[in-house]
Amino acid sequence: MGPRARTGPDAAAGPGDVPPIPPAEPAPPAQLAQPAPAARPPRPRREPADPAELAEAVQRARDGDEDAFRLLYRTVQPGLLRYLRGLVGDEAEDVAAEAWAQIARDLSSFNGDADGFRGWAATIARHRALDHLRRLRRRPISALAVEDLTELVSSHDTAAAAIDGVDTDAALAMIASLPPDQAEAVLLRVVMGLDAVRAGEVLGKRPGAVRTAAHRGLRKLAGQLGERNRR
Amino acid sequence: MGQHRDRPLDAATAERLLAGGGGEPAELARLLAAACGPARPSELAGEQAAMLAFRSAQAAGLPGPVQAHRRWMSARWRQLMPIKVAAVAGALAAGGMALAAGTVALPQLHGSPTVDNTGWPGVTDGRPGTGAPTGLSSTNPNAGSTPASPSLDGLCVAHLAEAAVDPERARDNPAFAALAAAAGGPDKVTDFCRNRQSAATPSADPDPGSSPAPSPTPSVNPPATKPNPGRSAEPQTHRPSTPAAAEPVDDSAR
C-alpha cells in the first residue's frame, strides 16, 4: 500500500478520496470513520487519485494546457498548503501563492511522474517558506499549544466540526507542534503523500533519517493523545 | 481498542500509519486521517491567482517543452559562437552559479537555466519577493509580474533559431503567437523577424537567410544581471546588439 493509496476498510482518506468524517470528540476511542454521509457540502472533486492521471496532467500542463494545470493545482495544493501551515503558520497562503507562481514559471524544466511532481512542488514550497522565514527572521513556529486544541475541537458540534474541517486543522496543528524536523517528516509523508526517499530529497536528508524523524514524531503524538485522553 | 497503549509504537506500525494504513493505535490513526482529510474549498482559494501565474508564464516564456529548449540551444551554439557567448554557455553548463550571482552578461534564453531531466531542477532558494531562481527563468525581464507583452525581439531570436532547425514547428508553435500577430500571420513570422533584426543591426551577417540571428551577440537582458531580476520594472526594450555597438547597460561580466 503506497503512501497515498488509502483504500481498504479502515483506511484514512487522501485529499482525492471519498472522505470519511472523523468524529470531533477526541475522547472516545473511535473506530475509523465510515464513508461520508449524504449531508455534506459539495467539495471540489476534480482531483485525481490516480498517479497516471496526475502524470499526464503534468505533461499537458507543460505543453500549456490550462485545465491540466488547474488539475495539478487542485490535487496538490491542499496538501501543499497543509505542509506550509506547519512551516509558516498562517502565512501559508501567501507562501503557497509564491510557490505556485514559481511552479508555473519553472514547469517547463520539470519532467517526471506524479510522485516526482509532488516532491518538486514540496521542494519549491519549502524554499519559499524558508526564504519567507529568513526575511522575517523567524524560526518555524508551532501553531497552537496542545491545550488550546482541546478547546478548539470541543467548541464545535460534531457535524459542524467535520464540515468545517476543524478536526483537520486540529490534527495539523498537533503535528506542527512537534519539533520541526519531526513535523516536516510527518507532514511530507502524510499530507504530501511522499515516501521516505522523496521526502528525503525535499529535506536534503537520507531516507533513514526521515523515517527516524517521522517515527519519533508519531510516538510523540501518540503520547500526547494518550495524555489528552486521561484528562 | 483501549489496550493499544500496551503496545509500543514500533517502526512497522509507524510505517503502516504513515502510509495511510490506519488501525492501531486508533487515535493516532484518526489524527493522521484527519490531517489528510478531503480538500476544503478554502484551501483552493488561490486557484485563480495560480491560473493567472500559469497564463503569464505561458505568455512570457518561450516554447515550454525541454526539447525545444535543447534544440534552440544547440542551434545557437552551432551558429554563433563569439567568446562571450561561449563563456556564458560554459557558465550555464556549470550550473548557472555565475548567473545567479549576477556577474555575467546574459543572452536571452528561455526556460530555466537549471534544466535537469531527472525532474529535480536546481531549485535553489530564489530571490525574495518573486521567487524567480535566476534572471533566465524567462525572457521577460518582468518575470515577477504579469508581463504586458512578450518581447518581440526576444521571440524573434528564438523563432529564427528554431526555424533554422525545424521550420514547421517554428511556424506552428503557439508560443510565437505574438509574433504571428505582429507579422500578420504565422507564415510571415520568419520574414518579419529577419527584417526586424537586419533593420536593427546594419552591420549584421551578410547572409541573414541562413543564420537565426544576424547579430552575433544575442540580446542581453539587462535586469538579469541584478540579483533580483524578477522585480525589475525596466522596459522590455531588447535590441540585438552588435559587438562593436554600445553594449547594454550591465556588461559587468568583463
Side-chain angles (χ1 to χ4, degrees), chain A residues 1-3 6 10-15 19 22-23 25-26 29-32 43-44 47 61-66 69-70 73-74 77-78 81-82 100-102 104-111 119-120 123-124 127-128 131 134-135 164-165 167-169 171-172 174-175 189-191 198 201-202 211 214-215 218-219 221-222 225-226 229-230, chain B residues 1-2 4-5 9-15 17-23 25-51 53-55 57-58 62-67 111-112 114-121 123-133 137-138 143-144 174:
Chain A
M1 180 178 299
R6 299 175 184 276
D10 56 343
E25 292 303 322
Q31 55 203 358
L32 284 176
R43 301 178 194 275
E47 315 119 342
R62 290 180 68 211
D63 287 338
D65 184 339
E66 276 195 16
F69 189 79
R70 195 188 316 273
Y73 179 84
R74 291 183 178 181
Q77 161 68 352
L81 190 66
R82 296 176 191 184
W100 281 102
Q102 186 177 342
R105 277 197 302 272
D106 294 351
L107 193 58
S108 60
S109 69
F110 171 78
N111 196 353
W120 184 62
T123 300
I124 288 176
H127 282 295
R128 298 278 65 74
D131 271 1
R134 268 195 289 270
R135 279 203 301 280
D164 291 350
D167 211 34
T168 297
D169 292 333
L172 292 169
M174 274 196 79
I175 297 171
R189 301 288 309 271
V190 171
V191 309
R198 291 221 184 260
E201 286 167 357
V202 174
R211 281 191 197 99
H215 296 179
L218 291 194
R219 279 184 211 115
L221 288 170
L225 289 168
N229 283 344
R230 279 201 287 270
Chain B
M1 282 275 204
H4 69 275
R5 289 191 56 74
L9 188 64
D10 59 12
T13 307
E15 279 299 311
L17 289 167
L18 290 167
E27 281 127 22
L28 185 56
R30 192 165 57 76
L31 180 138
L32 297 180
C36 62
R40 296 160 292 174
S42 61
E43 289 173 319
L44 299 173
E47 179 176 308
Q48 195 154 13
M51 294 311 299
F54 180 71
R55 284 178 206 127
Q58 291 295 307
L62 289 181
V66 173
Q67 293 74 15
S112 163
T114 55
V115 169
D116 178 351
N117 270 352
T118 66
W120 289 98
V123 179
T124 59
D125 46 343
R127 305 303 168 192
T130 64
S137 64
S138 95

Side-chain angles (χ1 to χ4, degrees), chain B residues 20 45 60 69 72 85 97 105 122 140 162 168 179 216 230 240 242:
Chain B
H69 173 80
W72 185 85
V85 173
M97 291 309 295
N140 190 329
E162 186 157 41
E168 232 179 39
L179 288 178
T242 62

Side-chain angles (χ1 to χ4, degrees), chain B residues 141-164:
Chain B
N142 300 324
S145 57
T146 307
S149 65
S151 159
L152 290 185
D153 288 308
L155 288 176
C156 271
V157 167
H159 172 84
L160 290 173
E162 186 157 41

Side-chain angles (χ1 to χ4, degrees), chain A residues 33-78:
Chain A
Q34 308 306 311
R40 189 166 56 83
R43 301 178 194 275
R45 276 294 301 155
R46 288 205 60 231
E47 315 119 342
D50 176 14
E53 197 178 342
L54 193 65
E56 195 201 321
V58 170
Q59 294 307 317
R60 294 204 324 264
R62 290 180 68 211
D63 287 338
D65 184 339
E66 276 195 16
D67 287 336
F69 189 79
R70 195 188 316 273
L71 199 64
L72 293 180
Y73 179 84
R74 291 183 178 181
T75 305
V76 175
Q77 161 68 352

